[in-house]
Amino acid sequence: MMITVQEAFRIVTESVLPIVAEKLSLPYLQGRMLAEDVAAPFPLPRFTNAAMDGFALRMDDISGLSDGSPSRLTITQEIAAGALSSFPVFSGCCAQIMTGAPMPEGADTVVPFEDTSGFDGESVLVYKAPKPKANVRYRGEEVCEGELLLRKGTLVTPAEIAVLASFGFASALVSGLPKVAILTVGDELRMPGDHAENAAIYNCNQFMLEAACRASGVGITVIGHAPDERNAMREALRDAMAGCDLLLTAGGISTGRYDFMQELLEEHGVERKFWTVAQKPGKPLYFGITPDKRPVFALPGNPVSAMACFIKYVVPALSRLQGKELSGSIRAELVKSFVPDRKRHRFLFGKVWQENDRLLCCAASKVESHMITALCGANCLLESDPSGDSIPVGTTLNCTMLPWATFSSLERAGL
Ligand SMILES: Nc1nc2c(c(=O)[nH]1)N[C@H]1C(S)=C(S)[C@@H](COP(=O)(O)OP(=O)(O)OC[C@H]3O[C@@H](n4cnc5c(N)ncnc54)[C@H](O)[C@@H]3O)O[C@H]1N2
Ligand code: MOO
């Protein structure tokens, strides 16, 4: 039974559940999403330390500097970064101290090396008084022990890796990264690089979907292709289904004599959630769940249809598998009218950009589901409800950004 786009979207997002989280070491965390809150196991700085190379002293001992004459102090110890002072700085004394070294007991201020007579000798002349307590980094001044450092759901960037490392965490729990299997079908398809005779065409979906998955930040397990023949498709499906978290097929899902995909998926135990959606392109879209609850999308073979379905349904499913929030769409004003579909929700690839304070959009001029060049230059998928009238200039439309669209593409002019 044909269902609405809204219903299809709801079924997909409700049926797809997060996969198991995994613990990864620091070098592998970049780009992943934290699966748990991280609290500070100790305060930061962990101990009060010097912010400059110089002399740790008691501020009271250099108060005489105010009348212009230098103060002389006896150097009683040297503290390097990583070393501990074993006795206090007494009045009239000071400690040579290096940046990052723990402050010795008794001292409250660090005078930078440049404002003294230097490290040589048994005493030092201090020429310039800093502010009291200057050049000292205090225990816990940045972060308190137990404070929430990083929230579950945070995308790990070099900043989060730096924070984790600073607190001594060698690894972190991140959401699982889905592995996608891709299977294309069709006797007519040839691999790019091979000869395509007579009525043959080149396999675009396999490479397009692989690139779209990688651009969406997920991994690939199997990439396969099968001819329109039941046994070959059955075997290819079995291989594709082994070990993936999400199965994507393209082609063979409509009503043609060789469209065996639905029948074979169900033979493999996939439970159909829906087949056919009131949308253009992408009407024959099939969505199901394997017995062990993995999502399966059988995308229509026409490449633009396959990509529209990927953006509208597969990208949110990949987010759900990772426990990520769905990105949602943005609203932009149409600058060039187009004809929607009378009965079906219309998807069109297009461009959204910013002009002054307004977001504007326009659809690609090539609108048929086999016109793959419409994708080039597009940064979003535009949507329009069914309507018998053309959509006028100035209408506000929902635009879903393509996962690989760049921020700068929003600033350039339209298609
Ligand atoms: N009688 C009907 N015919 C069709 C209907 C319908 O409702 N009734 N729906 C049309 C729509 S809409 C679409 S979309 C297609 C989808 O059909 P399939 O998913 O079964 O896809 P195929 O028939 O295998 O292929 C359709 C089209 O796309 C080309 N194709 C397929 N795979 C690839 C690939 N990997 N790379 C490049 N091009 C590919 C294929 O050669 C066909 O031209 O059905 C309509 N028909
Ligand atoms: O709906 Mo089909 O996906 O128009 O080409």
Side-chain angles (χ1 to χ4, degrees), residues 31-334:
R32 302 295 293 268
M33 205 183 70
L34 289 177
E36 62 182 359
D37 287 344
V38 179
F42 50 76
L44 203 66
R46 201 150 59 86
F47 50 88
T48 300
N49 66 86
M52 300 280 254
D53 299 320
F55 293 87
L57 45 76
R58 294 164 170 262
M59 192 63 196
D60 285 351
D61 285 346
I62 56 170
S63 47
L65 277 173
S66 50
D67 60 21
S69 51
S71 294
R72 182 177 291 280
L73 298 171
T74 307
I75 304 171
T76 51
Q77 55 183 312
E78 185 204 297
I79 316 165
L84 266 184
S85 149
S86 51
F87 58 94
V89 168
F90 296 108
S91 182
C93 301
C94 64
Q96 286 184 5
I97 196 161
M98 308 308 143
T99 305
M103 283 292 281
E105 205 187 315
D108 54 21
T109 303
V110 171
V111 177
F113 160 86
E114 297 84 330
D115 296 336
T116 70
S117 56
F119 285 143
D120 296 332
E122 291 180 349
S123 66
V124 63
L125 282 172
V126 179
Y127 300 123
K128 203 168 142 197
K131 290 202 175 102
K133 302 191 172 179
N135 306 316
V136 179
R137 311 191 282 210
Y138 290 94
R139 174 182 158 89
E141 72 175 10
E142 184 183 344
V143 178
C144 301
E145 183 171 343
E147 190 177 320
L148 178 63
L149 280 177
L150 303 170
R151 244 176 232 292
K152 179 179 172 178
T154 302
L155 181 74
V156 180
T157 71
E160 284 70 30
I161 292 178
V163 169
L164 289 165
S166 298
F167 281 91
F169 293 106
S171 59
L173 193 70
V174 287
S175 2
L177 195 63
K179 293 180 289 299
V180 178
I182 298 169
L183 176 65
T184 55
V185 294
D187 282 351
E188 74 280 26
L189 299 170
R190 300 289 173 272
M191 293 304 265
D194 289 352
H195 172 64
E197 77 290 359
N198 304 323
I201 61 163
Y202 286 112
N203 190 338
C204 136
N205 287 340
Q206 177 182 314
F207 296 91
M208 176 183 79
L209 293 172
E210 180 185 0
C213 285
R214 293 198 195 284
S216 306
V218 298
I220 306 286
T221 46
V222 175
I223 301 180
H225 177 74
D228 292 317
E229 192 273 314
R230 278 197 178 83
N231 285 331
M233 275 174 75
R234 190 177 283 124
E235 252 176 59
L237 265 179
R238 198 184 41 234
D239 291 348
M241 283 169 88
C244 70
D245 298 303
L246 181 148
L247 172 64
L248 274 186
T249 71
I253 193 62
S254 189
T255 48
R257 286 191 61 177
Y258 306 100
D259 290 345
F260 307 131
M261 187 56 79
Q262 177 161 198
E263 164 195 329
L264 293 174
L265 284 171
E266 286 166 14
E267 203 182 275
H268 278 86
V270 175
E271 179 200 342
R272 180 172 85 187
K273 292 286 185 184
F274 62 76
W275 176 57
T276 68
V277 183
Q279 59 188 10
K280 185 178 172 153
K283 177 182 136 198
L285 173 67
Y286 171 100
F287 174 67
I289 295 282
T290 63
D292 55 0
K293 306 288 175 224
R294 293 175 293 153
V296 176
F297 290 92
L299 307 176
N302 276 319
V304 176
S305 316
M307 187 54 111
C309 292
F310 183 91
I311 299 300
K312 180 70 186 178
Y313 305 102
V314 180
V315 170
L318 292 172
S319 294
R320 290 283 292 137
L321 284 173
Q322 295 169 79
K324 277 188 186 169
E325 273 185 30
L326 306 183
S327 306
S329 52
I330 56 176
R331 312 262 302 153
E333 253 176 76
L334 190 65

